[in-house]
């Protein structure tokens, strides 16, 4: 037998692996309700033991971990879709728009609307850069015009929300 | 000869358990299973990749001390190791087949970014992405 680990160390590893299962479940469905009783069942531990073990293992209490995952998903939807904020709040597991907005601000430091505006302005431009360069390389005559246009858009603060559609 | 990566390894908690998972669960084949005292060099292969071996290694002395071995296995059990990707022709079909063989999926197949992907873990905690070839 090549195993040198002690039985207690082995038990601890198996516990960590089961706690990971609770984390995986929250990752897979962060919009669902995850009370400690449900998470403890997934991990095969007692409720009293679960919250403490989870925090020890992952450095964050399970409830807060779930909130960060929800906020992360909400931020992605705000950035990548045009869904109304209310719809995003519902889709990511909040029952009230007020709670969503408050929690979102607490976690990210800005409101859902402000984040949407900022994120949609930045990645839109970044996304265009490679395309612009590709096109510019293929059509040297347009190179200066494209870069000049981009420079103007960047300088023009009032037009920052405007994006170029290829 | 073919030049390139020949072996890349994972840390696993129990080599017997890992062997069963990668062979019975994923359909890999054993390439080398050699023991020298306490040490066991164990590699498996995807049937379509005869030039590549996936090592299923247990961190242990004398390669690392006991405390380090424990830390590494804890990281694996917490899902903290780097991602692994398995490419298949049909993600949904592979998901059904693997699940029927007891593979623990952490995400069902989702169609996005013009492809289909799912996620599963090995018994130790190593996380795999199951991606449909484009």
């Amino acid at each position: 037998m090549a195993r040198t680990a002690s039985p207690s160390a082995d038990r601890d590893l198996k516990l960590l692996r089961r706690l990971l299962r609770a984390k995986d479940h929250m990752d897979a469905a962060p919009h669902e309700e995850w009370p400690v009783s449900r998470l403890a069942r997934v991990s095969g531990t007692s409720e009293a033991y679960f919250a403490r073990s989870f925090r020890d293992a992952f450095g964050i209490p399970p409830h807060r971990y779930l909130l960060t995952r929800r906020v992360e998903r909400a931020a992605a939807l705000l950035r990548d879709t045009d869904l109304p904020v209310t719809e995003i709040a519902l889709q990511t597991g909040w029952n009230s728009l007020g709670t969503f907005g408050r929690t979102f601000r607490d976690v990210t430091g800005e409101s859902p609307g402000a984040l949407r505006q900022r994120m949609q302005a930045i990645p839109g431009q970044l996304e265009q850069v490679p395309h612009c360069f590709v096109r510019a390389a293929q059509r040297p005559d347009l190179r200066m015009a494209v870069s000049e246009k981009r420079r103007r858009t960047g300088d023009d603060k009032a037009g920052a929300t405007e994006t170029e559609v290829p | 000869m073919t030049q390139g990566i020949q072996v890349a390894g994972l840390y696993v908690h129990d080599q017997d358990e890992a062997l069963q998972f990668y062979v019975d669960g994923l359909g890999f084949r054993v390439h080398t299973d050699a023991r020298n005292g306490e040490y066991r060099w164990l590699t498996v292969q995807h049937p379509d990749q005869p030039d590549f071996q996936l090592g299923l290694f247990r961190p242990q002395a004398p390669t690392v001390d006991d405390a380090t071995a424990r830390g590494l296995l804890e990281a694996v059990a917490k899902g903290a190791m780097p991602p692994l990707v398995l490419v298949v022709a049909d993600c949904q079909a592979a998901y059904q087949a693997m699940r029927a063989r007891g593979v623990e999926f952490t995400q069902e197949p989702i169609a996005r970014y013009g492809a289909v992907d799912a996620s599963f873990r090995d018994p130790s905690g190593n996380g795999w992405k199951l991606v449909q070839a484009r």
Side-chain angles (χ1 to χ4, degrees), chain A residues 97-114:
Chain A
L97 191 58
T99 313
F100 169 62
R102 209 160 42 244
T103 311
F104 194 92
R105 251 191 323 275
D106 288 348
V107 175
T108 68
E110 60 190 330
S111 74

Side-chain angles (χ1 to χ4, degrees), chain A residues 1-5 8-10 12-14 16-18 20-21 23-25 27-28 56-58 80, chain B residues 13-16 35 38-39 58 60 66 70 73-74 76-79 104 106-107 121-125:
Chain A
M1 196 63 191
R3 300 281 293 282
T4 51
S8 79
D10 207 61
D12 290 349
L13 283 171
K14 287 188 167 141
L16 286 175
R17 182 66 181 82
R18 296 204 312 272
L20 176 61
R21 210 158 278 148
K23 192 162 173 266
D24 283 339
H25 276 64
D27 287 341
D56 286 349
F58 301 111
D80 300 334
Chain B
H13 170 232
D14 180 320
Q15 287 177 302
D16 289 329
R35 290 168 201 257
E38 293 267 287
Y39 190 77
R58 183 171 166 83
Q60 63 186 95
D66 285 345
R70 188 181 155 75
L73 285 174
E74 282 179 359
V76 174
K78 289 197 247 182
E104 177 187 346
T106 53
Q107 178 213 301
R121 286 196 191 283
D122 76 8
S124 300

Side-chain angles (χ1 to χ4, degrees), chain B residues 37-107:
Chain B
E38 293 267 287
Y39 190 77
R40 182 180 183 188
W41 174 268
L42 173 64
T43 69
V44 293
Q45 265 187 334
H46 188 283
D48 293 351
Q49 283 183 299
D51 290 331
F52 180 77
Q53 298 168 54
L54 181 69
L56 306 175
F57 304 127
R58 183 171 166 83
Q60 63 186 95
T63 317
V64 295
D65 62 278
D66 285 345
T68 304
R70 188 181 155 75
L72 289 167
L73 285 174
E74 282 179 359
V76 174
K78 289 197 247 182
M81 298 308 261
L84 300 152
V85 179
L86 184 65
V87 176
V88 292
D90 183 335
C91 187
Q92 187 67 41
Y95 163 77
Q96 297 291 353
M98 286 162 62
R99 212 169 63 129
R101 293 194 294 261
V103 173
E104 177 187 346
F105 275 84
T106 53
Q107 178 213 301

Side-chain angles (χ1 to χ4, degrees), chain A residues 88-161:
Chain A
I88 290 176
L90 289 175
Q91 278 193 22
T92 52
W94 274 278
N95 297 320
S96 114
L97 191 58
T99 313
F100 169 62
R102 209 160 42 244
T103 311
F104 194 92
R105 251 191 323 275
D106 288 348
V107 175
T108 68
E110 60 190 330
S111 74
L115 181 130
R116 165 171 269 175
Q117 217 167 11
R118 189 170 58 78
M119 295 301 265
Q120 287 189 339
I122 302 166
Q125 286 168 358
L126 287 177
E127 208 170 40
Q128 281 188 28
V129 172
H131 295 293
C132 288
F133 271 102
V134 169
R135 280 204 298 266
Q138 286 167 344
R139 292 178 287 178
D141 286 348
L142 282 174
R143 186 178 186 129
M144 288 312 290
V146 170
S147 55
E148 179 64 22
K149 185 177 179 188
R150 196 182 313 128
R151 199 176 304 128
R152 280 184 195 168
T153 312
D155 286 343
D156 183 9
K157 296 268 193 282
T161 53

Side-chain angles (χ1 to χ4, degrees), chain A residues 18-32 34 38-39 42-43 65-66, chain B residues 104-106:
Chain A
R18 296 204 312 272
L19 292 170
L20 176 61
R21 210 158 278 148
K23 192 162 173 266
D24 283 339
H25 276 64
M26 286 192 275
D27 287 341
H31 58 285
E32 292 182 13
W34 290 103
R38 189 179 177 196
L39 291 168
V42 167
S43 287
Y65 179 74
L66 179 63
Chain B
E104 177 187 346
F105 275 84
T106 53

Side-chain angles (χ1 to χ4, degrees), chain A residues 25-100:
Chain A
H25 276 64
M26 286 192 275
D27 287 341
H31 58 285
E32 292 182 13
E33 296 298 324
W34 290 103
V36 169
S37 56
R38 189 179 177 196
L39 291 168
R41 206 157 47 238
V42 167
S43 287
T45 67
S46 72
E47 290 183 35
Y49 193 53
F50 174 80
R52 188 198 170 84
S53 313
F54 187 96
R55 197 186 56 222
D56 286 349
F58 301 111
I60 183 172
H63 180 64
R64 200 186 308 161
Y65 179 74
L66 179 63
L67 288 186
T68 63
R69 290 314 312 258
R70 286 181 175 180
V71 166
E72 189 184 314
R73 181 173 274 196
L77 289 171
L78 287 164
R79 188 188 59 220
D80 300 334
T81 74
D82 291 320
L83 290 170
V85 175
T86 314
E87 178 59 31
I88 290 176
L90 289 175
Q91 278 193 22
T92 52
W94 274 278
N95 297 320
S96 114
L97 191 58
T99 313
F100 169 62

